[in-house]
């Protein structure tokens, strides 16, 4: 006489789904990061001119009506919410990972840092009211970033530097986790020592060139009209971190 298998609880059913959602949204975010961060990296070679051209070209992928909603914002939101939900639903004696782990800390930091970055660089510039008058995509190149760095240097460098470092560390550690989960055998898994090397390589090959590109651009003269500078200032000043 066979007995029916015990029913799985909601938690037992939800946790594997949340894990798959977390892993499934990661490639969309990684693709965006490769495109978005390549622009300031190229400033090391061609200054803000080459960086702005690359930025505007990359927006053809992630800032279209379809791309921004479904290839960027939706994966970002779903990834963050899935991670938080997994943390809440996991038993206290078996958390997905310690709260103080690098992946957890950088995940929380990314949520905190990405929101003001997105609002300052994407939401506030679209305000049609004067004096902003709805900055268009062609106006939001690296001259906009240079203005922020020149006007609020300390705050801008902390926000940009913290975001870049946190995003890169989270991406590298997350990719290591996915590699160990889906591709590696028991012998080939990335061990702790190799993990540290991967994090150092990620910072060296991605974060440092991005920030050095921003540094070189910050040393260039601003190439904008006074009226545009006023619109830039009004846009940045809407942020509580950058008001003057």
């Amino acid at each position: 006489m066979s007995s029916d298998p015990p029913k799985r609880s909601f938690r037992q059913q939800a946790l594997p789904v949340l894990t798959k959602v977390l892993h499934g949204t990661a490639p969309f975010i990684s693709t965006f990061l490769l495109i978005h961060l390549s622009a300031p990296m190229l400033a090391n070679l061609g200054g803000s001119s080459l960086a702005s051209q690359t930025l505007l070209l990359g927006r053809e992928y992630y800032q279209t009506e379809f791309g921004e909603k479904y290839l960027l914002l939706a994966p970002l939101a779903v990834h963050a919410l899935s991670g938080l939900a997994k943390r809440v639903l996991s038993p206290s004696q078996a958390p997905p990972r310690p709260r103080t782990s690098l992946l957890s800390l950088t995940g929380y930091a990314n949520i905190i840092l990405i929101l003001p970055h997105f609002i300052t660089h994407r939401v506030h510039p679209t305000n049609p009211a004067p004096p902003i008058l709805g900055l268009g995509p062609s106006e939001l190149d690296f001259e906009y970033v240079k203005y922020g760095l020149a006007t609020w240097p300390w705050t801008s460098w902390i926000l940009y530097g913290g975001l870049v470092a946190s995003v890169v560390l989270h991406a590298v550690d997350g990719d290591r986790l996915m590699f160990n989960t889906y591709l590696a055998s028991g012998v080939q898994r990335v061990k702790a020592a190799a993990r540290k090397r991967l994090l150092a390589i990620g910072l060296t090959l991605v974060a440092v060139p991005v920030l050095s590109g921003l540094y070189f651009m910050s040393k260039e003269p601003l190439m904008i009209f006074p009226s545009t500078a006023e619109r830039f200032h009004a846009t940045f000043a809407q942020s509580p971190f950058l008001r003057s």
Side-chain angles (χ1 to χ4, degrees):
M1 180 178 179
S2 62
S3 60
D4 294 332
K7 290 185 177 180
R8 300 172 69 197
S9 67
F10 171 77
R11 174 185 291 175
Q12 292 173 320
Q13 297 179 56
L15 287 175
V17 173
L18 290 172
T19 299
K20 286 182 171 59
V21 170
L22 270 169
H23 295 173
T25 52
F28 293 95
I29 301 170
S30 296
T31 301
F32 162 73
L33 288 176
L34 287 172
I35 296 172
H36 193 60
L37 295 181
S38 64
M41 291 175 72
L42 287 173
N44 292 285
L45 302 175
S48 60
S49 175
L50 179 58
S52 293
Q53 292 176 39
T54 307
L55 178 71
L56 295 175
L57 184 62
R59 285 177 180 165
E60 295 297 320
Y61 163 78
Y62 64 81
Q63 214 171 81
T64 62
E65 184 175 352
F66 174 84
E68 187 167 44
K69 291 179 182 177
Y70 302 108
L71 299 178
L72 174 57
L73 296 181
L76 274 173
V78 171
H79 190 80
L81 292 173
S82 298
L84 293 173
K86 187 176 178 181
R87 171 70 64 180
V88 171
L89 290 176
S90 295
S92 58
Q93 66 273 20
R97 62 191 48 84
R99 294 180 186 274
T100 56
S101 69
L102 180 65
L103 197 62
S104 296
L105 291 175
T106 53
Y108 301 141
N110 289 342
I111 294 174
I112 294 171
L113 293 170
I114 285 174
L115 284 175
H117 181 82
F118 179 77
I119 291 171
T120 302
H121 293 74
R122 187 72 182 99
V123 177
H124 287 160
T126 63
N127 187 344
I132 297 175
L133 299 174
L135 291 163
S138 62
E139 297 173 293
L140 289 172
D141 57 11
F142 276 97
E143 294 300 321
Y144 181 76
V145 174
K146 285 163 55 179
Y147 183 86
L149 289 169
T151 309
W152 298 275
W154 282 102
T155 305
S156 295
W157 275 114
I158 290 171
L159 291 175
Y160 284 130
L163 179 59
V164 169
S166 181
V167 163
V168 169
L169 290 172
H170 189 79
V172 172
D173 213 25
D175 288 343
R176 176 196 61 85
L177 177 64
M178 292 181 64
F179 176 83
N180 284 345
T181 302
Y182 297 107
L183 299 176
S185 66
V187 177
Q188 295 172 324
R189 290 172 65 85
V190 178
K191 306 297 183 180
R195 172 178 175 265
K196 293 179 181 179
R197 288 197 297 271
L198 285 174
L199 293 173
I201 291 170
L203 290 174
T204 303
L205 296 184
V206 181
V208 171
V210 168
L211 295 176
S212 64
L214 289 176
Y215 173 78
F216 287 126
M217 287 189 286
S218 72
K219 297 302 179 182
E220 296 177 353
L222 285 168
M223 304 294 290
I224 53 176
F225 294 111
S227 58
T228 304
E230 292 177 5
R231 296 167 70 198
F232 283 179
H233 192 96
T235 305
F236 276 111
Q238 291 197 34
S239 169
F241 300 103
L242 300 171
R243 288 174 184 165
S244 59

